[in-house]
Amino acid sequence: MFNCMVIGAGIAGLSSGIALHKAGHRPVIFEAYGVPSDGIGGFLTVAVNGFDALDTLGLKGAAGRLGFSTPLMSMYLGSSGKHLIDFDYGGSLPDGTTARTMTRSELYAMLREEAGRRGIGIVYGKRLTAVEETPDGVSAVFHDGTTAHGDILVGADGLHSRVRTLIDPDSPEPRNIPLLNTGGILPAGVLPPGLLDIEAGRMKMVFGKRCFYCYMQDPDGRIWWFANPLQRSSEDPATLDAGARKAWLTNLVAGDRTIMAAIITATDDIIRPYTTSDFPSIPRWQRDRLVLVGDAAHAASPSSGQGASMAIEDAVTLGRSLQGQEQGSLPEALARYENERRSRAESVVEWGRRNAAPKIRGQFKRVFEDLVLPAVFRGIARRSEDTFDWVYRHHIQWDTATSDIA
């Protein structure tokens, strides 16, 4: 049994703590912020591969009560309103489970409550500054001068991971994607009846004249939306106040043949725009008794729709890799975890970057939006073999040493 220190109490850290507990170890989670992050963050989608991993942890049922089902997406041109193509968002699991959209806070709260139910400690106000490795373990040194000791330290501390730099000081910085991310949730009944042009559970994704965006309706009538404006060096929308932010976004979508301008105008609380990044690859995920999970190892563009799902997959794979291991086999177990996850994770990162590319090019050149995109999606529709099973059908078999495509 290992004493495991997990650095970071987000989705990756909480999932890792639960998976390590399932594997028979004793995890404690250390969070840099002083209080839980209830109510913080926007929304995300957990894909079916994420639900498959949650099922291994016994949490698919709890997660399936969060948010709402979003199994379908449709692509449109904003300039003309032209419909391009419809996609399944990964299909469904054998029991009918589909992708679900939920607030980040909902998923976080469910995982935190489950960690507490399993007796997993979470210590707040502990920002990691250094580690000290010894023959019999590793010590974590925190900014307040305190320390903690364990057999293994798991870096679930996100895109700007301190643990990543401790594993390899020469690890590259995140790679910028020139898109901003913003969005909001509009309460039911605010827009005039009959204005919404998409059924509940379907994501309407639009290549607008000046911005890529998406909106969808939940069964209660709320409208969830996000937008990906191009990041330009001449402006910093994150500095705008709420009114100016709304005016800026409304101007970006005003010329499109959609209802997006009305949605933005009616939304009171719009997320402050933030930059997006990814990691093409980092040299090492683990060293001795240190290991990375989630965005600390392989941050993907939001265009992948896989951030939360990949973090949960990492957690399950790490827990399974460490199940039944002894002290002497720890380095081999961590190397096995990295070897199993690296290729898949890097493929998803690149897939996400490819998904972001049309959003970028469409905002640079109208000709790409008006002429090229329809041809691209016609080609996809003709190629029945062009599936994404490698993304969505990934299954981690807990009691064996390999994962597979179901």
Side-chain angles (χ1 to χ4, degrees), residues 61 148 184 267 290 303 305 395:
T267 302
L290 311 181
S303 299
H395 175 69

Side-chain angles (χ1 to χ4, degrees), residues 33-304:
Y33 292 101
V35 294
S37 58
D38 295 286
I40 295 175
F43 60 87
L44 53 81
T45 299
V46 178
V48 291
N49 54 298
F51 273 101
D52 186 82
L54 284 168
D55 192 31
T56 301
L57 300 178
L59 296 175
K60 184 174 70 172
R65 294 188 288 271
L66 305 178
F68 61 105
S69 176
T70 45
L72 303 170
M73 60 181 75
S74 298
M75 302 283 188
Y76 289 81
L77 284 180
S79 57
S80 62
K82 179 180 177 61
H83 174 252
L84 296 172
I85 195 170
D86 297 322
F87 285 113
D88 287 336
Y89 198 151
S92 62
L93 298 179
D95 67 352
T97 299
T98 69
R100 296 185 70 85
T101 297
M102 61 194 71
T103 64
R104 186 263 182 198
S105 183
E106 284 180 292
L107 180 59
Y108 163 80
M110 184 275 290
L111 291 170
R112 181 168 58 81
E113 289 169 8
E114 181 63 21
R117 191 185 70 80
R118 300 190 188 195
I120 300 168
I122 305 175
V123 186
Y124 296 97
K126 296 296 179 182
R127 184 176 300 279
L128 183 74
T129 58
V131 296
E132 298 173 357
E133 297 179 75
T134 63
D136 65 341
V138 58
S139 293
V141 181
F142 301 106
H143 76 293
D144 60 1
T146 60
T147 61
H149 188 78
D151 299 304
I152 178 176
L153 187 142
V154 180
D157 48 346
L159 187 68
H160 301 289
S161 169
R162 175 60 176 156
V163 180
R164 183 175 62 246
T165 62
L166 294 172
I167 290 174
D168 183 356
D170 296 324
S171 187
E173 292 295 314
R175 179 175 61 175
N176 179 255
I177 297 172
L179 292 172
L180 299 172
N181 209 10
T182 184
I185 301 175
L186 182 64
V190 175
L191 293 183
L195 185 63
L196 197 66
D197 54 0
I198 201 80
E199 73 269 25
R202 183 183 293 273
M203 299 179 175
K204 182 166 183 175
M205 298 191 170
V206 181
F207 291 91
K209 292 179 180 179
R210 301 179 62 196
C211 180
F212 179 88
Y213 50 88
C214 169
Y215 54 88
M216 65 201 100
Q217 179 182 204
D218 70 17
D220 295 326
R222 295 178 297 175
I223 300 172
W224 303 49
W225 63 272
F226 69 82
N228 296 138
L230 194 66
Q231 181 183 7
R232 300 181 186 277
S233 58
S234 59
E235 61 184 6
D236 183 8
T239 64
L240 299 175
D241 63 27
R245 193 183 315 154
K246 180 179 292 190
W248 167 70
L249 278 171
T250 304
N251 182 58
L252 289 179
V253 304
D256 293 336
R257 295 187 180 182
T258 71
I259 63 170
M260 191 62 186
I263 292 172
I264 294 172
T265 300
T267 302
D268 290 332
D269 188 13
I270 297 176
I271 296 171
R272 188 177 297 277
Y274 60 91
T275 58
T276 57
S277 304
D278 68 5
F279 275 115
S281 180
I282 62 173
R284 305 188 67 170
W285 288 26
Q286 49 78 34
R287 175 177 59 80
D288 299 328
R289 296 174 180 269
L290 311 181
V291 66
L292 302 173
V293 294
D295 283 356
H298 52 70
S301 161
S303 299
S304 71

Side-chain angles (χ1 to χ4, degrees), residues 389-400:
D389 281 355
W390 69 274
V391 178
Y392 298 115
R393 293 291 172 264
H394 188 74
H395 175 69
I396 304 163
Q397 191 68 34
W398 181 268
D399 56 358
T400 67

